[in-house]
Amino acid sequence: MTPKDNRVPRIICHRGACGYAPENTLVAMRRAAEMGGRWVEFDAKLTRDNHLILCHDDNLERTTNGHGKVAEADWEAIRRLDAGSWFGEAFRGEPVPTLSETVVELARLGLGANIEIKPCPGRDEETGRMVAALLLEEWPDSLPTPLLSSFSAASLAAALRVAPSLPRAFLVSRIPADWRERAQELRCAAIHTSHRHLTKDQVAAIKAAGLAVRVYTVNDRALGESLFAWGVDGVFTDFADRLLAI
Ligand code: G3P
Ligand code: MG
C-alpha cells in the first residue's frame, strides 16, 4: 500500500469550485473534483441549534433564499433553503450542506480539504471546538489529514485544545507585525493571507521561519505565477482551470 500523501497541493479550490457552481455546496465540491482539483477550501459555522453547516456570511441573504442571521436560524429551517438559484437556474434547489454531509461527499470524491472555521459573531470558541471534534470523529482515513484555518484566534485555540493533531493555519487579511508570535502561540504550520498587501520579503521571512504561505483569492494565472516565483506554497482560486495549468 502506498503511504497517504498529506501534502497540501499548490492549487486549492476556493469554497469548492465557486467560479462555476454555488459556493460552499456539494455541487461545488463535485465540480472541483471534475476540474482536476485535489483539495477544496470551505467555510464552516454553527446554526443557532449547534449544527455545523457550510456558509461564508453571517447572514443568509447573499447565498440562499433565506433571510436573517445564521446564528438565529435553526437547522430545520436552513435545510429547506435553496442555496443554488442565486448562482444560476441550473442549481435551483441545491441545499446548504452540513459539515458531516460534506465530509462524506469529499470521501466519495477523494478530495482533501482546508476547513475554514468561520464563527458567527461571539461563537468563536464553540465553533472551533465543534469543528475539531467532528473532524476527529468523522474524517475518513482514506483522505489526507485536513487543515484547519481561521481568522479567529479563539477558534484556532479551541481547535488546538480539542484536536492538537490536526494542523492549523492562521488566516490574516494582511500580515501583522507579530505574525511569528501569533502563529507560534496557536502552533500553526502555515499562514494564509490575501495577495493584496503581501510582499516578496514577507513571504521569504515566513518561509524562513519554517511556515507555509498560502494566498487567497488568486483568479489570475499571471498573479499565480508571480506568487509561486516568490515561494508561495499554495493559492486559493475560484477558477481552478486557470491555475492548474501552471
Ligand atoms: O481561507 C481562505 C479564504 O477563504 C479566506 O477568506 O472570506 O473567502 O473566507 P474568505
Ligand atoms: Mg474561506
Side-chain angles (χ1 to χ4, degrees):
M1 214 174 75
T2 44
K4 194 164 63 166
D5 186 356
N6 280 321
R7 289 172 303 176
V8 182
R10 296 210 303 174
I11 311 298
I12 302 168
C13 301
H14 189 226
R15 308 180 195 173
C18 81
Y20 299 101
E23 65 182 57
N24 288 322
T25 64
L26 296 188
V27 69
M29 307 307 154
R30 288 195 283 277
R31 198 57 57 91
E34 284 160 15
M35 295 175 70
R38 289 171 48 217
W39 276 53
V40 288
E41 182 265 6
F42 52 82
D43 309 291
K45 55 165 45 70
L46 284 169
T47 62
R48 175 168 63 184
D49 54 344
N50 292 330
H51 287 261
L52 281 165
I53 60 162
L54 269 53
C55 185
H56 179 276
D57 297 2
D58 291 336
N59 293 289
L60 293 161
E61 278 81 357
R62 184 179 62 86
T63 57
T64 76
N65 60 345
H67 301 282
K69 294 185 191 315
V70 175
E72 293 171 2
D74 288 338
W75 170 236
E76 188 52 30
I78 290 178
R79 78 181 185 87
R80 295 173 198 282
L81 298 178
D82 172 2
S85 57
W86 70 274
F87 188 86
E89 201 42 47
F91 300 100
R92 179 173 293 278
E94 184 66 26
V96 174
T98 62
L99 179 55
S100 291
E101 289 165 347
T102 306
V103 169
V104 170
E105 189 67 0
L106 297 181
R108 197 181 71 78
L109 296 167
L111 284 175
N114 168 204
I115 296 105
E116 183 189 337
I117 307 166
K118 190 80 115 184
C120 294
R123 304 202 71 188
D124 301 56
E125 198 278 334
E126 59 204 305
T127 310
R129 178 163 42 81
M130 289 182 70
V131 167
L134 184 147
L135 294 176
L136 281 185
E137 192 67 29
E138 300 179 21
W139 190 260
D141 280 341
S142 59
L143 292 180
T145 306
L147 172 63
L148 294 173
S149 65
S150 190
F151 287 105
S152 164
S155 290
L156 286 175
L160 168 62
R161 282 192 294 277
V162 173
S165 62
L166 295 181
R168 287 161 306 285
F170 188 40
L171 246 174
V172 285
S173 51
R174 62 162 79 202
I175 306 292
D178 60 351
W179 61 267
R180 197 184 300 262
E181 293 73 26
R182 295 176 76 181
Q184 239 163 28
E185 212 169 67
L186 297 161
R187 287 198 261 145
C188 287
I191 293 189
H192 292 178
T193 191
S194 165
H195 64 84
R196 290 182 193 285
H197 312 285
L198 189 66
T199 67
K200 189 179 175 180
D201 287 350
Q202 286 172 330
V203 173
I206 298 167
K207 301 280 300 169
L211 298 172
V213 185
R214 297 187 191 91
V215 180
Y216 65 89
T217 304
V218 180
N219 289 335
D220 178 73
R221 182 177 165 148
L223 175 61
E225 281 169 350
S226 5
L227 289 166
F228 289 129
W230 286 1
V232 159
D233 295 276
V235 298
F236 300 91
T237 182
D238 302 339
F239 300 93
D241 50 334
R242 297 182 193 164
L243 278 289
L244 279 165
I246 298 179

